[in-house]
Amino acid sequence: MAENRWTVSRRTALRGTVAAGVAVAGGLVGGALSTAPAMAGPDGGRVAVLGGGVAGLTAAHELSERGFQVTIFERRAWGGKARSVPVPGTGAGGRPDLPGEHGFRFFPGFYQHLPDTMRRIPFPGNPNGVWNNLIAVPEARFARRDGDDFRLPVGPRARMPFSPDSFRETVGAALSTSLKMPPNEGIYFADRLLVFNSSCDARRYGQWEHTSWHDYVDGHTRSHEFRALLSRTLTSIMVAAKENVASVRTIGTMGEQFLGNPAEVGNDGALDRVLNGPTNAVWIEPWLQRLRELGVRFELGAEVRGLDMRDGRITAARIVDQRGAARIVEADYFVVAMPAEQARALWSADVLAVRPELAAMNRLFSDWMNGIQFYLRRPATISQGHTAYIDAPWALTSITQNQLWTRKLAEFGDGSVQDCLSVDISDWNTPGLLYGKPAKECTHEEIAREVWAQLAAHLNDRGDVLRDADLHSWFLDPGITWQPDQRRNANADPLLINTAGSWDYRPEPHGALENLFLAGDYVRTNIDLATMEGANESARAAVNALLDVAGSNAERCQLFTLYRAAELEPLRRIDADRYAARQPNMFDLPV
């Protein structure tokens, strides 16, 4: 590629992104879709899906299978934050551009809604469609700056015993041994897990929803190792949350899934799964093709500016296309499948007069979690799965992709790239090592150098794992744009961050506005986390509500429940009585 190894120019990236968007729009809005059969059944109707990310594509999939005429309107790119992004201008010799992305994908085994959809997306040679493109990784590495790294196997294991004493002893010992932590702190953390796992629903929503995870685990008094590994790593790094603001209910629920999943209880597959190729190639593009076959229409470059109302119903959406032309889109039903910060901009006084609870969405909190890819001239031997960089100021995680992909990196770009180290940056607010600035205030070149330095500080203390000479180039998520006048970055793709008490601010998929339905990871779901699974689950709930309003006799979308250890159900019943009597959980003892 023309640029040096430290930069892909912003102008080149934007030019290629726009060109790719126009090309995709032409393919989707053109003849392939217009010739597809309209699959409206006797119970169907016209549905405008506003947003083409995972939530919007899921809603379109479920509705089109049930005989509705669906058109999806998307401003930027199909797949939203889940898509991969070709690095413009990097292909040569007939090879496609290098694959970039918003951030690497992670499909825990306790995801069930999304895998169910993936099974229904055909893929050549796969008996279970796109689902067969998910592969399990065998380990996770936790890298330290002092060289005291450790690896954890993430494959299947025996089901964990669930008597209180055996749970405390087993989990506590496992934590102390594998994380090299004082035994008393391992036992303490196991006790905190036991408290949550034995808590009734009323306590989870009434007490733990309003308590931060940091306070719950008493993070401010614990050792550095405890805070780094069991407070920060389990939240900001592993489940895209912030330990000082995320609720106990959210993090505790995820903990339940991670505890149950390795035993393959109440889950879809292995604990840690990734795709075997670039996301668009092995998931998003086959999904779009399936939707075309179902008769879905696509409009790319369509920005939703507002909703018109009359007599307590949405009558139209106001759209501005990529040429700047405004128009009105009418439909029988409207599914708003946009991110929270975009959706809440649509809630006019008229909308709020009918659904006043939507005003609480202004209290939902978003932060940044974006990725950068480093393309390497030799394979990187780091881990057979994900790596968490425990002492990195920017809360970094990574995965090396060539070992996992069916189509190898040498088949992309100029042919010299042998691996891609894909890195997620979870903390954009803490000063870094090189420049003493948070990522939000660093130029793109500074971000690349800073991330590389933080990785090297964790990996090169036991050998020359990352060498500058091996760096071919890098690519930062194009949603991050440098604002020269402000000397800081803007982010087109912030991430919803669950905060203590935020359940009260999150809406149901349907309310008093009869023909308006909400789908997105900010909607109330079982998974209760900003995830692709939450987006998929919320879209299914929105479709089910739409079917009810339409009086449809179509089969409802399947909704799955999260895992809970059945052995602890008697303890939860006891806890329900204790909570009603304003008593603490029986295991919640003073420290």
Side-chain angles (χ1 to χ4, degrees):
M1 58 192 288
E3 293 83 1
N4 65 46
R5 66 178 183 269
W6 278 113
T7 181
V8 172
S9 75
R10 172 60 41 187
R11 180 166 52 194
T12 300
L14 290 177
R15 183 173 63 244
T17 300
V18 171
V22 171
V24 172
L28 293 179
V29 180
L33 275 177
S34 61
T35 59
M39 301 196 62
D43 297 324
R46 300 171 304 160
V47 183
V49 175
L50 310 179
V54 170
L57 296 178
T58 301
H61 193 159
E62 300 292 349
L63 286 164
S64 59
E65 285 186 339
R66 290 160 174 80
F68 287 81
Q69 302 174 63
V70 181
T71 303
I72 311 181
F73 300 86
E74 165 59 32
R75 178 170 60 97
R76 292 175 60 207
W78 305 114
K81 289 191 281 286
R83 74 192 188 280
S84 51
V85 184
V87 183
T90 57
R95 288 176 291 269
D97 289 336
L98 290 167
E101 56 196 351
H102 166 75
F104 60 72
R105 245 69 56 200
F106 166 45
F107 299 81
F110 58 80
Y111 282 13
Q112 298 186 76
H113 297 90
L114 193 62
D116 175 72
T117 296
M118 297 174 88
R119 286 185 174 89
R120 289 150 46 208
I121 303 171
F123 193 89
N126 287 358
N128 291 302
V130 164
W131 183 85
N132 290 116
N133 292 334
L134 293 175
I135 58 174
V137 299
E139 68 174 6
R141 177 178 177 180
F142 295 82
R144 306 300 303 266
R145 288 187 64 185
D146 60 5
D148 196 16
D149 297 4
F150 57 91
R151 301 170 190 258
L152 292 180
V154 292
R157 63 169 182 261
R159 191 170 183 178
M160 184 173 296
F162 262 109
S163 70
D165 287 342
S166 61
F167 178 89
R168 181 186 296 110
E169 292 170 3
T170 302
V171 174
L175 290 172
S176 299
T177 301
S178 60
L179 305 185
K180 301 177 182 179
M181 183 180 296
N184 65 308
E185 293 208 319
I187 292 293
Y188 171 76
F189 190 76
D191 281 336
R192 302 315 288 160
L193 294 178
L194 180 60
V195 168
F196 183 82
N197 277 257
S198 62
S199 289
C200 64
D201 278 338
R203 189 183 301 280
R204 293 184 184 206
Y205 284 92
Q207 182 177 3
W208 302 140
E209 168 63 24
H210 300 278
T211 305
S212 77
W213 179 254
H214 181 77
D215 290 342
Y216 180 73
V217 298
D218 203 23
H220 60 287
T221 66
R222 296 288 141 186
S223 68
H224 171 75
E225 292 297 297
F226 185 99
R227 294 195 305 272
L229 297 172
L230 295 179
S231 183
R232 184 174 185 241
T233 300
L234 290 181
T235 52
S236 63
I237 294 179
M238 301 304 291
V239 295
K242 308 290 184 183
E243 79 273 12
N244 59 327
V245 296
S247 76
V248 175
R249 189 180 70 82
T250 295
I251 303 303
T253 299
M254 291 302 97
E256 275 185 314
Q257 310 318 302
F258 281 112
L259 287 171
N261 187 249
E264 298 187 354
V265 178
N267 67 78
D268 178 78
L271 176 64
D272 188 351
R273 298 176 296 182
V274 297
L275 289 167
N276 64 358
T279 310
N280 279 13
V282 301
W283 175 25
I284 300 299
E285 289 169 3
W287 199 2
L288 296 176
Q289 179 57 36
R290 177 56 182 154
L291 297 184
R292 293 188 198 108
E293 295 166 356
L294 290 168
V296 174
R297 293 178 176 271
F298 297 78
E299 292 204 22
L300 190 63
E303 182 177 352
V304 184
R305 292 287 181 87
L307 301 173
D308 292 338
M309 281 187 57
R310 185 174 63 246
D311 300 327
R313 290 175 56 86
I314 304 297
T315 58
R318 284 176 272 117
I319 305 288
V320 175
D321 67 21
Q322 55 192 354
R323 298 183 304 274
R327 64 189 180 95
I328 295 296
V329 172
E330 297 179 339
D332 300 306
Y333 310 99
F334 295 83
V335 178
V336 174
M338 299 155 64
E341 66 276 3
Q342 298 174 25
R344 62 193 177 197
L346 302 179
W347 309 149
S348 64
D350 289 340
V351 170
L352 294 176
V354 183
R355 285 200 67 176
E357 73 278 10
L358 295 181
M361 285 180 58
N362 289 326
R363 302 178 70 177
L364 293 175
F365 175 68
S366 294
D367 208 339
W368 297 16
M369 185 175 182
N370 299 68
I372 185 171
Q373 290 79 55
F374 295 98
Y375 302 101
L376 308 176
R377 293 190 174 92
R378 68 168 182 164
T381 305
I382 297 174
S383 170
Q384 297 181 73
H386 292 95
T387 299
Y389 300 85
I390 302 301
D391 303 307
W394 289 1
L396 306 177
T397 46
S398 76
I399 193 164
T400 50
Q401 294 175 325
N402 197 65
Q403 63 180 326
L404 304 166
W405 284 5
T406 302
R407 187 175 186 182
K408 300 305 181 183
L409 267 298
E411 299 179 41
F412 296 84
D414 62 9
S416 66
V417 172
Q418 298 297 309
D419 212 340
C420 174
L421 178 59
S422 186
V423 183
D424 277 357
I425 306 170
S426 298
D427 187 337
W428 289 73
N429 301 303
T430 298
L433 301 176
L434 291 184
Y435 302 103
K437 296 187 295 186
K440 287 181 179 178
E441 298 176 10
C442 288
T443 66
H444 295 177
E445 176 89 4
E446 289 172 340
I447 289 173
R449 291 182 179 276
E450 179 70 56
V451 172
W452 184 263
Q454 293 185 29
L455 297 175
H458 284 72
L459 298 175
N460 288 356
D461 46 11
R462 289 193 174 182
D464 214 10
V465 177
L466 293 183
R467 302 184 306 180
D468 287 354
D470 294 329
L471 181 60
H472 174 280
S473 55
W474 56 266
F475 181 68
L476 181 65
D477 179 0
I480 301 295
T481 55
W482 178 248
Q483 312 295 305
D485 55 331
Q486 300 180 33
R487 302 298 301 168
R488 61 186 294 113
N489 290 292
N491 189 350
D493 297 304
L495 184 73
L496 178 72
I497 300 295
N498 288 60
T499 57
S502 62
W503 182 259
D504 294 341
Y505 315 142
R506 298 172 64 181
E508 296 288 348
H510 185 242
L513 258 170
E514 183 184 29
N515 65 336
L516 176 68
F517 307 87
L518 309 183
D521 55 18
Y522 65 91
V523 176
R524 290 181 174 181
T525 59
N526 271 322
I527 197 81
D528 188 39
L529 198 66
T531 57
M532 299 178 293
E533 174 77 353
N536 187 285
E537 180 187 345
S538 70
R540 290 168 179 249
V543 169
N544 285 347
L546 191 154
L547 295 175
D548 291 342
V549 170
S552 173
N553 60 6
E555 181 180 358
R556 271 36 180 181
C557 305
Q558 185 174 5
L559 294 172
F560 299 88
T561 57
L562 292 172
Y563 167 76
R564 286 191 189 177
E567 298 91 332
L568 294 182
E569 192 55 37
L571 298 179
R572 296 188 195 105
R573 290 196 292 269
I574 294 172
D575 190 59
D577 293 335
R578 293 180 64 87
Y579 183 73
R582 299 187 177 183
Q583 296 174 345
N585 180 279
M586 69 178 71
F587 301 109
D588 195 6
L589 305 175
V591 178

